[in-house]
Amino acid sequence: MVSEGRLDVVVADDHAPTRASVRRALEGGGCTVVGEAASADGAVALVTEHRPDVALLDIQMPGSGIRAAQAIGQTAPETAVVMLTHSTADGDLFDSLRAGAAGYLLKDADPHTLADALRGVLAGEAAMPPRLVARILDEFRAPAKRRFWRDSPAAGRLSAREWEVMQLLGEGLSTEEVAARLFLSPTTVRVHVSAVLRKLRVTDRDSALRVLRGE
C-alpha cells in the first residue's frame, strides 16, 4: 500500500509495448509495478494476489477491462481502479464509472503526469480529462434523459439490480444493450423487468417507466 508517496500498481494491457511504456512512466514517477497482465482474468488474478493501491486497466484487452474493473471491485475493494485507454466514447466512459472505476485516463496524455494522477485518485481527486468531465455533466443535465427518483415509493419496491435495469431501459437502451452493460444475459434482464412489472402492478415496461418517473 501507499508508503512515502510510493504506490503499488498492477498494469493490464494486451499490448506489450504499451505496458512497457506505462511501467517506465510509473517507475519514473516513484511507483512500483507489482505485476503486468494482458487480459482481464490476468488483471483480476494479480490484484487478488498483490492487493495493490491501483489497478490500471485497458478497456479493450481480452475479457474486457470494464469486466475486470467490476470483478476487482468485488474481490479487492481496497484497490482503486483507473482505466487507461484511447477511447473517448460515451459508452466506454459511463460503463467504466458504473463498473466502479475511480478514474478514466487517455493514453495520449503526458506520461510524466501518470503517477501523480494515480496519487490524486487515492487522495479523492477525479482523474479524468476536463473534456470528459464536461461530458458527464452534459449527461446529467440533458433534459431528454429524465431520471428516476431513487427515494420514490415506487422505486423503493425494487431491488438494486431491478433499479439498474429500469434506469438503463429508461435511457433508451435495448434489452440486449442492458444485458451487455450489466454483464447479464438478455433472459435475465427480461426476468428482472417481469419482476418490476409485478411489483409496480403494471402490464408493460413503458408504464413501469412512467411510474418510476412520477408521471
Side-chain angles (χ1 to χ4, degrees), residues 2-215:
V2 181
S3 176
E4 297 181 356
R6 297 192 67 86
L7 304 183
D8 288 347
V9 183
V10 162
V11 176
D13 194 298
D14 62 335
H15 189 234
T18 297
R19 293 199 307 273
S21 176
V22 170
R23 175 186 279 272
R24 285 194 298 272
L26 291 173
E27 291 178 345
C31 299
T32 300
V33 177
V34 297
E36 296 182 19
S39 68
D41 288 345
V44 174
L46 283 175
V47 169
T48 301
E49 176 183 357
H50 294 286
R51 303 286 168 162
D53 300 297
V54 180
L56 193 59
L57 310 178
D58 177 44
I59 287 182
Q60 302 300 334
M61 65 182 167
S64 170
I66 293 171
R67 186 182 295 273
Q70 187 178 55
I72 289 168
Q74 295 169 348
T75 61
E78 70 276 18
T79 295
V81 172
V82 176
M83 314 310 290
L84 183 64
T85 178
H86 287 298
S87 175
T88 59
D90 285 354
D92 287 336
L93 171 61
F94 298 136
D95 285 353
S96 295
L97 297 177
R98 288 189 181 100
Y104 194 96
L105 302 175
L106 299 178
K107 290 181 178 178
D108 60 4
D110 182 353
H112 296 97
T113 66
L114 182 56
D116 284 342
L118 300 190
R119 290 189 179 92
V121 167
L122 296 182
E125 300 173 5
M128 191 176 301
R131 68 182 185 272
L132 297 187
V133 174
R135 201 86 66 77
I136 294 173
L137 294 176
D138 287 343
E139 169 76 5
F140 280 91
R141 289 169 178 160
K145 294 184 178 179
R146 293 191 58 196
R147 297 178 180 276
F148 307 153
W149 291 105
R150 188 65 181 97
D151 57 355
S152 69
R157 302 174 203 167
L158 309 186
S159 69
R161 180 61 85 186
E162 290 164 356
W163 169 264
E164 288 181 309
V165 167
M166 297 307 295
Q167 180 69 69
L168 292 174
L169 289 172
E171 293 177 6
L173 275 66
S174 67
T175 297
E176 289 71 21
E177 288 170 332
V178 172
R181 186 77 62 91
L182 298 178
F183 309 112
L184 303 172
S185 71
T187 298
T188 300
V189 171
R190 294 187 184 96
V191 168
H192 285 309
V193 172
S194 295
V196 170
L197 299 187
R198 289 195 302 273
K199 290 179 179 181
L200 299 184
R201 298 181 180 178
V202 295
T203 58
D204 57 77
R205 66 175 60 180
D206 287 341
S207 298
L209 292 173
R210 286 195 292 272
V211 170
L212 291 169
R213 288 174 176 143
E215 297 177 357

